Amino acid sequence: EVGSRYKGPASPVWVVCAESHYSVMFAVDPSVDPRDSDRPLELYYFDQFGRQDQRIKLTVTPRQLPGHLTTGFEEGESIIDQCIRTKWKQADVDWNGAEKIL
């Protein structure tokens, strides 16, 4: 089993390995407790290979799995959404108008 700081770091910054490279998610709100996995929060996502021309803000709402999903890990679901759901169980992930990175 991984250490407690792996999914609950001291600061709200997470390094993500998905699609054979690393990217980062972070919260800019200093009141976010990275160990709390029950409260909604906003994260920013940055992928250096994504050629992003805009900031990607994700709104994560735990325990609000969208109705069209049964597990949140269905084939075709964004790998980033799936990764988020390993920390925030059954979360709804709103990409706020940005194109989902599959």
Side-chain angles (χ1 to χ4, degrees):
E1 184 160 322
V2 298
S4 65
R5 294 289 182 203
Y6 181 67
K7 290 187 180 178
S11 297
V13 177
W14 293 268
V15 176
V16 178
C17 181
E19 307 261 325
S20 304
H21 69 280
Y22 292 93
S23 54
V24 67
M25 287 186 297
F26 59 94
V28 294
D29 181 352
S31 71
V32 168
D33 180 354
R35 293 170 295 278
D36 184 355
S37 51
D38 292 324
R39 290 182 34 207
L41 72 154
E42 291 186 344
L43 298 174
Y44 285 87
Y45 176 75
F46 177 74
D47 181 346
Q48 70 276 17
F49 292 133
R51 294 181 175 85
Q52 293 175 228
D53 56 355
Q54 65 178 0
R55 290 183 182 159
I56 297 178
K57 180 173 79 172
L58 307 174
T59 303
V60 177
T61 309
R63 306 189 195 293
Q64 297 290 321
L65 190 65
H68 68 281
L69 300 172
T70 55
T71 67
F73 296 92
E74 284 80 3
E75 189 163 332
E77 188 67 8
S78 164
I79 192 73
I80 301 305
D81 289 13
Q82 292 179 30
C83 183
I84 286 170
R85 290 185 185 116
T86 67
K87 161 103 177 112
W88 294 280
K89 302 298 180 201
Q90 296 188 333
D92 176 37
V93 182
D94 183 351
W95 286 68
N96 296 300
E99 184 176 337
K100 274 191 178 190
I101 297 174
L102 299 175

